[in-house]
Amino acid sequence: MKSRLKMLFAGLLIILLFAAMDTFNHEKPRILILHSYTETGKWEQAVNEGINRELAKNRTPISILWHYMAFTDQAGKTDWDDASKQARHVIKTFRPDILVPIGEEAQEYVGRHYVNDPHMRIIYATSEHPSHFRYPEADNVTGIREILPLAQITEVLHYLRQPTLRIRVLGMDDATGQSEREQVKDFLWAPNHLVDVQLVSNFDAWKAAVHAANQDADVLIVLSYNGLPLSATDTHPVDNKLLATWTEHESKPLVIGVRVPFAAGGGALAVVPSAEGIGAQIGKRILTLLALPPGGALPRGNDSQDFLIALRPERLAERKFSLPAIYIQAARASHTLFE
């Protein structure tokens, strides 16, 4: 009889323990990190490293979930609608206190649907202007806008030692390219002259734009191009390495990319927003929100701050263009020196 009572008592303790653990887990602040792309992407991994580095400083219990919408360049509207439904199902099930949508697609298909949701706060990370998603007027939204390091690019241009430079800018005609074009047009380039910002829909048009830049530009800035179709009739994406190498070889003006794959693929130089830096800003913002009292006002959105230098010294030498040694060391430190 006593042994049976002991067993019942032990069973009751186990049930109570699990109930207490379940209650504890549900009381912990829940954070959902929502990426547009896949978990294997280098940019996504770098963002995650920055987030985790800051969250490692946290001393209060939290529950964190990572979800990837798995965007691909061949995805159509139906695919995106399905990815949106799946992400919103995860949100309904997990019930995050803080939602962190990262990338333009995560804002468009998910984040914007939770503007002014009283049960959730949002920390966005996107290169598009937050107003595109009605974020600035929302009470529950803050975040980080990825800004192209255009000021740092103009610093690099000083080493061309010309008083005024003619600048052309070339990118891919998609949501990312359009937001990047907006930033380029809003930037004050004086005393240099911005000739044009051109977005193209395929590699054939890209080639024509590069050859046109040879006629009236001193500098060609290359925006994002991942997934650019080969032609109007062939929608397969051009190989990024092929595009970078072809552009570097065919362009008479100095080419400066704004993404690491341009230099990794054969380009001479890229000045790039730091994905890990953006992740660190997100992580700090999460900690700020966790410390806010109920009903506290969210901090205003900020621009990204950090940037990387990616370069190929051999290609720069072929162009007879030299940069101070600190640029080489900066690229080496960030593992973006390609020799």
Side-chain angles (χ1 to χ4, degrees), residues 64-199:
I64 187 165
L65 177 66
W66 307 76
H67 181 74
Y68 298 84
M69 296 180 72
F71 169 74
T72 66
D73 298 307
Q74 280 69 50
K77 186 179 185 305
T78 301
D79 300 310
W80 270 115
D81 288 342
D82 290 343
S84 172
K85 290 176 183 176
Q86 183 179 2
R88 293 167 76 175
H89 176 73
V90 171
I91 290 171
K92 183 178 180 180
T93 304
F94 186 59
R95 294 182 292 112
D97 300 290
I98 300 175
L99 171 66
V100 186
I102 301 174
E104 288 73 33
E105 295 80 10
Q107 319 304 324
E108 176 64 28
Y109 287 90
V110 182
R112 68 182 183 88
H113 296 285
Y114 296 93
V115 165
N116 286 323
D117 187 315
H119 306 295
M120 184 189 308
R121 292 174 289 184
I122 297 172
I123 303 174
Y124 62 80
T126 179
S127 63
E128 288 198 75
H129 196 283
S131 62
H132 291 182
F133 313 105
R134 298 187 297 116
Y135 286 161
E137 63 267 26
D139 294 330
N140 69 326
V141 180
T142 182
I144 311 299
R145 185 186 182 192
E146 181 192 70
I147 294 295
L148 297 178
L150 302 178
Q152 288 73 28
I153 288 177
T154 59
E155 291 176 8
V156 169
L157 296 181
H158 290 158
Y159 297 101
L160 284 171
R161 306 191 187 287
Q162 296 183 36
T164 302
L165 295 165
R166 299 166 299 168
I167 301 170
R168 274 193 174 270
V169 181
L170 176 60
M172 178 178 171
D173 193 4
D174 65 354
T176 299
Q178 290 159 15
S179 66
E180 291 175 343
R181 176 177 60 187
E182 182 180 327
Q183 292 185 35
V184 170
K185 287 193 170 184
D186 287 343
F187 186 74
L188 298 176
W189 290 97
N192 300 309
H193 173 58
L194 180 64
V195 177
D196 191 23
V197 185
Q198 186 174 359
L199 301 183

Side-chain angles (χ1 to χ4, degrees), residues 201-204 227-238:
S201 56
N202 57 65
F203 190 35
D204 285 346
L228 183 69
L230 281 164
S231 69
T233 57
D234 188 347
T235 58
H236 289 89
V238 63

Side-chain angles (χ1 to χ4, degrees), residues 322-335:
S322 60
L323 288 170
I326 192 170
Y327 283 90
I328 308 294
Q329 295 305 319
R332 181 175 285 114
S334 60
H335 306 290

